[in-house]
Amino acid sequence: MKRYRETTAVDGLSITLQPGEVVGLVGPNGAGKTTALRCISGVVRPTDGRIRVVGYDVRAHEREAKQRLAFLAELPNPYELLTVWEHMQFVAIAYGTEDILKDRGEEILHRLRLLDRRNDLVLTLSKGMKQKLAAACAFIHDAKVYLLDEPLMGMDPKGQREFLEMVRETASGGGAALVSTHILDTAERVCDRILVLSRGRIIAEGGLDEIRHRAALDGGRLEDAFLTLTESEETAE
Ligand code: ATP
């Protein structure tokens, strides 16, 4: 649970990620997605509850837990006076993985079409390029758990596809990802499981069939089930 003064942002949330799965976190504005991801990443402290990453408690064993986590924040703000490559180096040093940066970093930048900008200052990048740089940084240290908050924001379609492939490859290698998004078609296509959050609580979870079932729909897209579920929550209030 996380409370900000009088606002309870998430409540009674229990999320377990299995190795190899990509889980979508969807919900209306203010549902608590960012708060949940910030709590799991250790960026903010939950008011109540425990978070463990590959067995390590985020508070008691912060270093071990964070070493295994990659957190891509919503609206990331990379250091503008570093070059793209210096920024990658900075993150690699923070995680103690400079030795693998050269090959891995170049490959990631190449996949996200940023390699030719490696010596440019971050402040000269476009909005989508900054998002790609932040996304690239999440893949530098070979994390086990990826917390991705609206990762596709501002990315062009090719970048989105490449990024999502990188997420799926990570899952194939035994990693797990929790991805918040408003792009429901993408969540439906890419995620193994979806969590629908509303007013800080999970109101439906599972594959598309389970989410539809919860919404009492026989067919349709994730968007149809999402709108049915979240609208009925609002009218219940
Ligand atoms: P969005 O889709 O708009 O990004 P979200 O699902 O990520 O929304 P959160 O940002 O987690 O939602 O917000 C959940 C609730 O917590 C909202 O009511 C919000 O106003 C509140 N909240 C979030 N951060 C803070 C903060 N730092 N201080 C006070 N209230 C906050």
Side-chain angles (χ1 to χ4, degrees):
M1 187 230 260
K2 175 65 185 176
R3 201 181 298 123
Y4 298 106
R5 295 177 185 269
E6 65 278 5
T7 306
T8 301
V10 292
D11 195 8
L13 211 60
S14 175
I15 301 177
T16 304
L17 298 181
Q18 300 298 338
E21 69 174 356
V22 178
V23 177
L25 188 59
V26 304
N29 293 134
K33 303 178 296 296
T34 293
T35 302
L37 292 171
R38 284 186 179 155
C39 286
I40 300 168
S41 70
V43 170
V44 300
R45 271 193 183 182
T47 313
D48 195 14
R50 290 183 62 191
I51 290 130
R52 269 177 295 167
V53 179
V54 201
Y56 292 103
D57 186 285
V58 169
R59 277 174 72 178
H61 299 282
E62 188 178 355
R63 196 182 174 85
E64 290 84 352
K66 287 191 173 169
Q67 191 72 42
R68 289 158 180 83
L69 271 179
F71 177 43
L72 173 54
E74 187 183 30
L75 307 174
N77 206 2
Y79 298 107
E80 301 221 308
L81 295 177
L82 296 180
T83 65
V84 166
W85 189 253
E86 284 167 349
H87 201 285
M88 302 277 283
Q89 281 177 317
F90 173 76
V91 174
I93 290 167
Y95 283 99
T97 53
E98 304 101 291
D99 49 331
I100 58 168
L101 178 67
K102 170 123 180 50
D103 294 344
R104 193 183 176 91
E106 285 182 359
E107 189 209 327
I108 297 168
L109 290 182
H110 172 71
R111 291 186 69 171
L112 294 174
R113 305 284 183 278
L114 272 185
L115 193 55
D116 61 339
R117 305 296 299 258
R118 60 180 288 164
N119 296 319
D120 292 348
L121 288 178
V122 171
L123 67 84
T124 68
L125 300 181
S126 72
K127 180 172 55 139
M129 288 175 191
K130 285 182 189 165
Q131 181 71 21
K132 284 181 178 176
L133 171 60
C137 289
F139 285 91
I140 292 175
H141 72 285
D142 206 12
K144 292 286 170 232
V145 179
Y146 291 76
L147 304 168
L148 309 170
D149 197 358
E150 290 284 345
L152 306 176
M153 195 110 80
M155 273 192 208
D156 56 34
K158 202 172 173 71
Q160 291 191 18
R161 177 171 289 190
E162 199 64 47
F163 175 79
L164 292 169
E165 269 177 36
M166 286 161 63
V167 174
R168 288 269 26 142
E169 284 165 20
T170 301
S172 302
L178 183 60
V179 190
S180 93
T181 185
H182 289 297
I183 312 175
L184 298 180
D185 286 349
T186 301
E188 182 180 332
R189 193 163 39 82
V190 173
C191 298
D192 302 302
R193 197 154 63 85
I194 304 283
L195 306 175
V196 184
L197 208 61
S198 175
R199 297 165 196 259
R201 292 176 175 275
I202 294 174
I203 57 166
E205 68 178 292
L208 180 57
D209 284 345
E210 287 158 293
I211 305 282
R212 280 190 194 126
H213 180 71
R214 186 79 184 71
L217 295 177
D218 286 334
R221 313 292 303 261
L222 176 61
E223 184 184 63
D224 302 311
F226 175 92
L227 291 175
T228 304
L229 286 165
T230 52
E231 275 163 22
S232 63
E233 273 282 302
E234 273 166 25
T235 46
E237 191 64 9

